[in-house]
Amino acid sequence: MANISLQHLDKVYDNQVQAVFDFNLEVKDGEFIVLVGPSGCGKSTTLRMVAGLEDITAGKLLLDGKDITATPAKDRDMAMVFQNYALYGHMTVYENMAFSLTLRKENPNVIHKKVLAAAEILGLTDQLNKKPKQLSGGQRQRVAMGRAIVRNPKVFLFDEPLSNLDAKLRGATRREILLLHKRMHATMLYVTHDQVEALTLADRIVCMSMGHVQQVGTPIELYDTPANIFVASFIGLPPMNFFTVKVENGTVSNEQLSVVLTEDEKQLLSSYEGREVVLGVRPENMEEGGEIPVKVFSNENLGMNTLVHGHLPGGAAITCKLRGWCDYQAGDTVNVRFAKRHFFDRESTNAIR
């Protein structure tokens, strides 16, 4: 069992800079939680508080119901995989993976079995006698994961483990981490600034900004029903398009566009009649053949889809992700419709539900 409860965690540094504000999260046994957000948002600080590498200024941290807020890192039964691998260059892969067990003075036969089992899981069996400098970046990261696996911890912690890898290796290693989770059914907390990692790995995502939790939910919840403009702009690639529009007589409009509301949207925005709201549209939620003219200035052909970058008549930038291979030239006009719309309160930036 490895349930984690983060209760009202704050982190204030000695210089009085607060990095994390009132962080609350209940992590279930075997759950894969991904903390995502831009650099400096407090996600790594939160992970380091869970690991015991940073003191908790206020709040409680429980592991299986036991308060471990003040428990030293070495006694928390957690294993952390770092961004920079943190391998010992003078040791072989085998020795690196066995190191923590050797320090505990475990039986050498037990250590041998655990290292071989972890090496088989990670495809490192034929690399055990090599030194880290003889390995690729992806292999080094697998050694770092193997060192965590042999400890058989209650919780695995990952701090941006793929950020030093190239795009191809990131994809391959990401799949290995996902398979590792499915095989071990372990509780995992994973920090990244990469939304693709978050969307593909997580059971639930914690989206953070400036030390505050913005939304907690499944990947599809954050993508389909973002809590606010920040989440809507951070989750999704390319980012969502935003336009300030006025609600009036069954439409939302500004000087550059006008959209007729559905009956459900009219009901949703009934209390905003005569007021301005923010209309959000994902590029992939646009279709050709609508009533909104977009003057094209560039295309990015992606094979099955094309990113069309352009301007609305008044000059506002817009990105559309259209199906198929499009050959629009700079200066062409393509008419689109917004197949799915999101609406946000202009003052609070929260989603209108």
Side-chain angles (χ1 to χ4, degrees), residues 107-129:
N107 185 302
N109 291 329
V110 173
I111 293 175
H112 187 68
K113 288 179 180 178
K114 288 183 176 181
V115 170
L116 289 184
E120 184 175 352
I121 290 172
L122 296 167
L124 292 170
T125 305
D126 58 350
Q127 310 293 329
L128 290 174
N129 292 322

Side-chain angles (χ1 to χ4, degrees), residues 238-243 278-284 286 317-320:
M240 186 180 284
N241 299 278
F242 297 100
F243 311 98
V278 176
L279 164 65
V281 187
R282 294 200 181 280
E284 57 269 32
M286 298 186 195
I318 186 171
T319 297
C320 317

Side-chain angles (χ1 to χ4, degrees), residues 181-285:
H181 177 250
K182 290 181 177 179
R183 177 178 289 196
M184 301 190 72
H185 307 290
T187 304
M188 293 185 174
L189 271 67
Y190 186 108
V191 160
T192 182
H193 63 272
D194 186 332
Q195 57 157 301
V196 173
E197 290 177 32
L199 291 170
T200 55
L201 289 173
D203 293 323
R204 284 190 298 153
I205 295 172
V206 180
C207 188
M208 297 183 68
S209 173
M210 300 180 69
H212 295 271
V213 174
Q214 300 296 314
Q215 186 174 359
V216 180
T218 63
I220 191 62
E221 286 172 343
L222 269 71
Y223 176 82
D224 246 0
T225 54
N228 53 42
I229 288 176
F230 174 81
V231 177
S233 62
F234 192 83
I235 299 295
L237 195 67
M240 186 180 284
N241 299 278
F242 297 100
F243 311 98
T244 299
V245 292
K246 188 175 183 179
V247 182
E248 204 165 27
N249 299 324
T251 65
V252 289
S253 61
N254 58 25
E255 293 179 353
Q256 304 179 60
L257 61 83
S258 179
V259 176
V260 177
L261 298 174
T262 67
E263 290 303 316
D264 286 344
E265 289 171 338
K266 290 177 186 176
Q267 182 71 24
L268 181 71
L269 298 175
S270 58
S271 63
Y272 286 85
E273 182 69 23
R275 297 165 55 193
E276 287 187 331
V277 298
V278 176
L279 164 65
V281 187
R282 294 200 181 280
E284 57 269 32
N285 290 151

